[in-house]
Structure formats: C-alpha cells, structure tokens
Amino acid sequence: MWKHRYLMHYHRLIALVVVVNLVLLGYGLRQWSWWTADSINLAAISNMVIANIGIAILIRQQYVINLLFKVATSVPTSWPLRFRALMGKVYHFGGIHVGGAIMGTLWFAAFVGSLIYSWINGLPGVSLATMVVTAVLLVLLVAIIALSMPQFRAKYHDEFELMHRFGGWASLLLFWVQTVLFINDQGGSLLAAPGFWVLLAVTFSIALPWLRLKKVRVQIERPSNHVALVRFNHGVTPFAGSSTAVSRSPLTEWHSFANVPAPGEDGFRLTISRAGDWTGELIDDMPSHVWVKGIPTAGVGNIDQLFKRVVWIATGSGIGPTLPHLLAHTAPARLVWSTRTPRKTYGDDLVDEILESEPNALIWDTNENGRPDLVQLAYDAVQEFDAEAVIVISNKKLTWQVVYGMESRGIPAYGAIWDS
C-alpha cells in the first residue's frame, strides 16, 4: 500500500507541511491569543503567511537544491540500505514547495478575512490601501495555484510556465508593497519585521539565476532528425548528474536538460530529442547561440552515489541524463537502454561511447525486437548484477511502472516525478 504513487514521499511531504501548520494553528489559538473579541493578531497571521511562502520559494533555489543533494548523498554506502534508500528520496523536496504554497495561500486568505473583519469593526491598524493590495494579491496567488494543478499543467505547460513566472514576479512586488503598507499601519519598524528579511531572502533567491543570464555560442550535431547533440564551452564544466536551463526566448520559455560532461574535458553536451514544438524547432533550426541562466543543478541521478551497485533503465533520450554517470563512474552501474534504431538515431559515436564506458550494457532496439518488458529486464539486471537500486529515466508512464514494479519487489527504485 505504501508504494502507491499517491503515497509517495512527495505527497507525504505535502502532508507534513499541512500537519505542522495545523499544529501551529492549534498552539496559536491556545497560547498566542490570535483572535479575541476585540482584537486580531494580524502580525502573527502575517508571519505564518510569509514563513510558508518563503519556504515554498527558497526550497526551489538552485543552491538549496544542490545542498540538499550534497547532504543526502554524503551518507556512506556502508550504512544500512534502508536508510540510504530513504535518503535517495531527496528529490521529492518539491512536496515542501507545494505544501508551503498551499498553506501560505490559506493563511493569506485568513489574513484577508481578518483585515476585512478588523475594517468592518473599526479595529486599529488597517488601512484601505493595505486591504486593496492584499485582496489583489490573494486573487493572484489563487490563480497561480489553480494553473499549477497537474491536469492543467500537463495540457497547457507553456501557459503554466508564463503564469508561474510573471504571476510570481507580480506577487513578489505586491508582497513588498503590502508588507510596507501593513507595517506602517501597525506603527512598526520595517527592519524589525520578520517579513522584511524573509522577503529580502526570497527576492535575492529569485533574482540570482537571472543575474547569471547570458547568451552563449553552441555547436550542434544532428545525427538524425530526431536528436540534436548540443555542445557548450563557455567556461562552465558542470558536475555529472546536473542539469542546465536553456532558452531561445528567455522571458517566455525555459527547458532543462541533463548535462553530459566528458571526464578530463572542458564544457559539456546536452542530448535533446524531438519532444514538442520547442525541441523540434531547435533540432530543425540548429541555432548558433542559446540563453542559459542559473547554475548547474542536481537531479535525481545523483542519488546513485548512495548505492554500491545501480541498474540504470533508460528509454530513448533518457540516455542523456544517464550517460554522464556512466562516463564519470559515479557508482558501479549496469545499463538497460531501450530505444529505436540507436545507431541510426543517436549516431555511432554516442553508442560506441556508451559501450566503451559500460561494455555489458543491454541496448534493446525496439525497431527489431519490439517493446520490452522493462520491469522484467530491470529485475533480471538487478539479480544478475547484485544491484542495490534501480534508477529509471523514461516517460511518465514507464517510469512509474518500473519504480512501482521494483519497489513492490522490495528493491529501491527512483525516477522523475514531474513536479516542476
């Protein structure tokens, strides 16, 4: 039962954030006198808003993500497998983001209600300007959450991304205006307000990746009309298992791809497969420059360091995130790669590079052999290689099938959860 996707650690972290907030609510009602007949502790409610929203944003900061992975993967492989397997779930941190955003918005709704109540009853410390800005901000936050629902996000990802970016920036600006107005209403000092410092940290966190925005030259090879191998050499050599955000129009659309650095060489590659309008246009046009921002950010594959032996399951372009780990030998590995006509699609050089790094790799040509039973292949590879874990890089349906198929057999398994 605990292996079902609705009970995965991502959702457990959402529930944890909710429970913590409910505990604080109960404690506040009993100890902090948030509500009385003739007053409402607006400052306390405001602090709950800013704490939750601040956590939701900061947990997504690239340096914070890298730190989380660094801490989680520092566990020695001599420690019990059960504990290491739990540390491998570090990439579910997005549950804290979602939980904080939801609870922050609910607290904000309570804050708006408290402002209205205070205004109607003539309680001190509430101005009309604060009420108007706060109401607009609440509508914007609700809109962002509504457009972030999985069903809408999957179908209208571009619209979701635009709303998240521009709606988020507008919300940040309104939070600053609202905070200054509210503190002025309360007769307090801006520098003494916790909300000021949290907003400052959040603003810096959001701005930092954009301060690193630059347009860089790339070299693109196209072994087939399905794949582009994009080479970067602009002074950055990322670590194996990281990703880079790439764009051709930095204000509208960004896509993250796994970095493929080669040991002993400067720069890195991205393996980009045709999977939509943006990737299709890049493969067809082969631009000479693209935009990059932020820093290389750790991804799910980094958890291979927690295990003595790992089986990698990749389908199609999933070989991109897998390849840097094979090249860097971040952990003893066995590869199962299922793809259509690998040499024709990805080129002889890439396939030979894979086989040189992992001579025992099973490369399954679906054009010749049909679609394999990846769960069975993964299980067979685990038994043969005596692996401790399976990492799968595939589409959503196959990723879940393999992860569930392994975990239901008691084998730790990991794969993307599509939470961004």
Side-chain angles (χ1 to χ4, degrees):
M1 179 184 72
W2 289 102
K3 304 302 181 184
H4 196 279
R5 61 180 175 177
Y6 293 125
L7 296 175
M8 65 182 178
H9 289 77
Y10 180 84
H11 294 133
R12 296 182 202 179
L13 287 173
I14 295 175
L16 176 63
V17 174
V18 173
V19 169
V20 169
N21 274 271
L22 291 177
V23 170
L24 290 174
L25 172 62
Y27 185 84
L29 290 173
R30 293 182 59 185
Q31 303 292 331
W32 296 338
S33 300
W34 283 356
W35 285 277
T36 64
D38 56 355
S39 69
I40 298 178
N41 192 337
L42 295 173
I45 303 173
S46 176
N47 288 338
M48 293 301 297
V49 173
I50 203 67
N52 278 278
I53 297 295
I55 289 172
I57 294 173
L58 293 174
I59 199 69
R60 288 286 198 190
Q61 214 286 325
Q62 293 165 319
Y63 283 109
V64 173
I65 293 172
N66 286 346
L67 177 61
L68 291 174
F69 273 91
K70 183 69 174 178
V71 171
T73 58
S74 66
V75 174
T77 56
S78 59
W79 286 24
L81 176 58
R82 185 171 183 178
F83 183 77
R84 288 182 282 129
L86 178 61
M87 291 297 98
K89 298 295 184 179
V90 61
Y91 62 96
H92 287 255
F93 63 84
I96 298 176
H97 168 78
V98 172
I102 292 173
M103 294 310 299
T105 302
L106 290 176
W107 277 107
F108 201 75
F111 182 72
V112 172
S114 300
L115 285 179
I116 294 173
Y117 177 87
S118 299
W119 174 267
I120 292 174
N121 289 275
L123 300 180
V126 181
S127 68
L128 179 59
T130 299
M131 287 188 57
V132 171
V133 172
T134 304
V136 173
L137 184 50
L138 176 62
V139 172
L140 191 53
L141 291 175
V142 171
I144 291 174
I145 289 178
L147 297 183
S148 299
M149 294 294 102
Q151 299 85 348
F152 185 94
R153 188 173 65 212
K155 190 174 181 180
Y156 304 103
H157 188 269
D158 290 347
E159 290 78 3
F160 152 75
E161 187 175 343
L162 289 173
M163 183 61 180
H164 226 64
R165 179 171 302 116
F166 292 106
W169 290 348
S171 298
L172 180 62
L173 177 60
L174 288 174
F175 261 119
W176 272 111
V177 174
Q178 190 260 2
T179 297
V180 172
L181 289 173
F182 177 67
I183 292 175
N184 184 65
D185 291 345
Q186 298 289 304
S189 167
L190 188 64
L191 296 179
F196 168 78
W197 296 104
V198 175
L199 271 179
L200 198 61
V202 166
T203 302
F204 178 74
S205 172
I206 293 174
L208 186 58
W210 293 94
L211 295 176
R212 297 173 178 268
L213 177 69
K214 56 184 173 181
K215 193 173 186 179
V216 301
R217 179 177 293 277
V218 294
Q219 293 178 327
I220 300 180
E221 300 173 23
R222 189 172 57 194
S224 70
N225 63 3
H226 179 70
V227 174
L229 303 178
V230 186
R231 297 181 180 273
F232 294 75
N233 193 5
H234 57 281
V236 175
T237 302
F239 58 93
S242 61
S243 63
T244 291
V246 179
S247 178
R248 298 178 69 182
S249 178
L251 289 178
T252 58
E253 189 172 10
W254 284 90
H255 297 267
S256 290
F257 300 95
N259 301 318
V260 186
E265 295 182 11
D266 294 333
F268 60 100
R269 292 167 287 168
L270 302 181
T271 303
I272 299 178
S273 295
R274 191 182 297 271
D277 294 341
W278 191 90
T279 53
E281 289 174 3
L282 183 138
I283 293 171
D284 293 336
D285 298 343
M286 294 201 301
S288 61
H289 293 75
V290 297
W291 292 89
V292 296
K293 70 179 175 72
I295 64 168
T297 308
V300 59
N302 280 271
I303 63 171
D304 70 335
Q305 303 168 61
L306 286 164
F307 305 103
K308 297 174 183 177
R309 292 172 178 261
V310 173
V311 168
W312 288 88
I313 305 294
T315 63
S317 59
I319 194 61
T322 305
L323 182 56
H325 297 277
L326 301 179
L327 296 178
H329 301 288
T330 50
R334 178 64 53 84
L335 170 67
V336 177
W337 181 28
S338 171
T339 187
R340 178 171 55 87
T341 55
R343 291 188 177 275
K344 181 179 178 180
T345 303
Y346 295 89
D348 287 331
D349 290 344
L350 184 66
V351 175
D352 290 340
E353 188 177 20
I354 293 169
L355 291 174
E356 183 180 352
S357 178
E358 216 288 78
N360 295 314
L362 171 59
I363 301 179
W364 185 288
D365 187 341
T366 59
N367 197 50
E368 292 184 0
N369 304 315
R371 294 186 180 277
D373 182 345
L374 286 175
V375 174
Q376 187 61 50
L377 289 181
Y379 184 73
D380 291 344
V382 168
Q383 298 304 307
E384 178 185 344
F385 191 54
D386 192 26
E388 289 187 322
V390 172
I391 301 174
V392 55
I393 310 294
S394 183
N395 59 50
K396 196 171 187 178
K397 181 179 179 181
L398 284 174
T399 295
W400 175 243
Q401 286 179 354
V402 174
V403 169
Y404 181 77
M406 293 300 99
E407 289 189 336
S408 63
R409 291 169 169 82
I411 300 168
Y414 309 88
I417 54 176
W418 286 273
D419 67 321
S420 60

